[in-house]
Amino acid sequence: MSRVPALLRATSVRFTALYYLPYCTALLAAGQARWLWLVLGAVYWFAHGLGTESLNRLADRTEDEINRAERTALCHRAGFPAIRRTAVAAWSTVALLDVVLLVLHPDPVLALFLLLAGLSAVNYSYGLRLSRNRWLAPLLLTFHFGGTFVIGWVLAQDHWDAQVWRDFAGYPLPFFVTGMVTLLALGGAKDLTDLAGDARIGYHSAWVELLQRRGAWIAGVMVGSTYLLVLVFVAAGLFPARFLLWLLLAPVGAALGRCLWRAASPEQQLATREFFYQYWMLSLSVAALLYAPRPGTLAAVAGTLAFWGLTTQRLHWSPGVRRATLRAVLSLVRPQGAGGRLRQQA
């Protein structure tokens, strides 16, 4: 494997899809999905994700040697100096595109959110290393949805007045809240595979600790919070009735909840982590189509899913979705499965 594929795999470029789809959905719903914004957004979120992950590989090298030996091997193949240069190039691109966006759409509110996006990403693993704060880290992870969605929504506004903010509270805000709660409740699944290395540096995931202490029911609450919010917002008239179709994903969510609680072996935990990411991508796709049901959204979802599938299977440090992944998930979902309880590792 050459250095470039190793670099792309090590830096999780598939996460571009998780950034881009909420951004694109906000523009589509507002009727502002011009090709310029869509193309600039694709480049912007690719650079943003690449820069974020590159800094993470540099900052978390110690724990990654334990947690993710296969990803660290890719980093060595690519070369840590090359990863450092990639981080500089990626964030330079983001800064340049910030300027371009503000020239094309001069807006102090947009400038504020672009600044917050950069500061939170750079200081998550690097700089202030906010990821080491066990309470703040889960909140920052919600930027994958909330931050990008808001930036897309802000970019779609041509003026600011009280009515604009009332409109935001009436439809975009409930959608924002639902996505944020979903990620806040489930985003800690990424910590399942990192317990040993995190302990090495003195970090203990608040999310994993909550799951260990509270048992299987809390996993059900975590997954169910999304569907409860959907029901509440539909009943309140903030979501149209079509959002009830989101509930069709509840059985998949229940299966994920069972995996979160039962995963014990490294193979089961890695499979559960991958299950979470696939579930989140599926939820995002369904949510986007429900929020902005139009041909453009369908095209955006199809394109994003194609990118996600290709990079998951070909350009990611983990094996992606393989037979072994499916077997591990099924063994945890089955009532007679042999999966142990996460609590046993406390």
Side-chain angles (χ1 to χ4, degrees):
M1 183 188 301
S2 66
R3 287 191 172 188
V4 173
L7 178 66
L8 294 176
R9 289 181 63 190
T11 51
S12 304
V13 292
R14 71 169 177 169
F15 290 162
T16 302
L18 301 180
Y19 288 96
Y20 182 68
L21 189 53
Y23 162 86
C24 189
T25 300
L27 287 169
L28 284 160
Q32 296 295 325
R34 293 188 290 163
W35 281 109
L36 179 61
W37 296 145
L38 297 180
V39 172
L40 279 178
V43 177
Y44 187 94
W45 294 118
F46 180 86
H48 192 282
L50 183 64
T52 301
E53 297 299 318
S54 296
L55 288 180
N56 178 271
R57 302 303 174 262
L58 295 171
D60 294 352
R61 187 170 174 177
T62 300
E63 53 268 43
D64 280 353
E65 292 279 358
I66 301 171
N67 291 331
R68 297 272 57 90
E70 66 276 45
R71 189 169 69 191
T72 303
L74 288 168
C75 291
H76 282 296
R77 181 177 292 274
F80 279 98
I83 293 175
R84 185 172 291 104
R85 290 193 297 271
T86 298
V88 172
W91 284 113
S92 297
T93 302
V94 169
L96 176 61
L97 289 177
D98 282 341
V99 174
V100 171
L101 286 170
L102 290 171
V103 168
L104 294 172
H105 189 83
D107 185 337
V109 179
L110 178 62
L112 173 62
F113 280 103
L114 292 176
L115 177 63
L116 291 175
L119 289 176
S120 63
V122 170
N123 287 290
Y124 179 74
S125 295
Y126 216 71
L128 298 178
R129 309 202 74 173
L130 299 175
S131 63
R132 300 295 177 91
N133 185 308
R134 64 202 302 258
W135 303 108
L136 188 57
L139 184 61
L140 289 173
L141 286 173
T142 62
F143 176 83
H144 286 72
F145 172 83
T148 65
F149 176 79
V150 168
I151 287 173
W153 180 81
V154 169
L155 191 59
Q157 308 308 312
D158 57 10
H159 70 283
W160 297 103
D161 56 27
Q163 185 58 47
V164 171
W165 294 110
R166 282 194 292 268
D167 290 343
F168 178 78
Y171 189 38
L173 181 59
F175 187 73
F176 170 87
V177 169
T178 304
M180 290 283 284
V181 168
T182 301
L183 265 186
L184 189 60
L186 298 176
K190 74 174 193 63
D191 293 333
L192 287 173
T193 59
D194 298 343
L195 302 180
D198 288 348
R200 175 76 173 270
I201 62 170
Y203 175 81
H204 299 282
S205 168
W207 186 91
V208 171
E209 186 175 295
L210 178 65
L211 199 60
Q212 290 171 339
R213 290 186 175 183
R214 299 299 180 183
W217 72 270
I218 196 65
V221 170
M222 288 173 174
V223 172
S225 60
T226 300
Y227 305 104
L228 176 61
L229 280 174
V230 170
L231 286 171
V232 168
F233 288 142
V234 169
L238 297 174
F239 280 166
R242 66 175 178 269
F243 270 78
L244 293 176
L245 293 173
W246 201 338
L247 303 183
L248 294 175
L249 296 185
V252 185
L256 174 61
R258 189 170 181 84
C259 291
L260 292 174
W261 168 239
R262 293 171 61 88
S265 70
E267 293 78 14
Q268 291 171 342
Q269 290 169 348
L270 184 60
T272 298
R273 175 178 173 142
E274 185 60 34
F275 187 5
F276 157 69
Y277 281 117
Q278 298 301 329
Y279 173 77
W280 177 235
M281 190 70 248
L282 177 62
S283 293
L284 266 182
S285 300
V286 170
L289 290 168
L290 294 174
Y291 185 74
R294 56 193 64 185
T297 310
L298 182 60
V301 168
T304 303
L305 286 176
F307 175 85
W308 175 262
L310 175 65
T311 51
T312 291
Q313 298 299 93
R314 301 294 183 185
L315 284 176
H316 193 56
W317 57 264
S318 73
V321 180
R322 310 293 184 192
R323 289 183 180 179
T325 311
L326 297 175
R327 282 197 299 268
V329 168
L330 289 174
S331 73
L332 293 168
V333 172
R334 293 193 192 104
Q336 72 274 22
R341 293 184 176 181
L342 183 61
R343 180 179 304 198
Q344 293 174 354
Q345 300 183 36

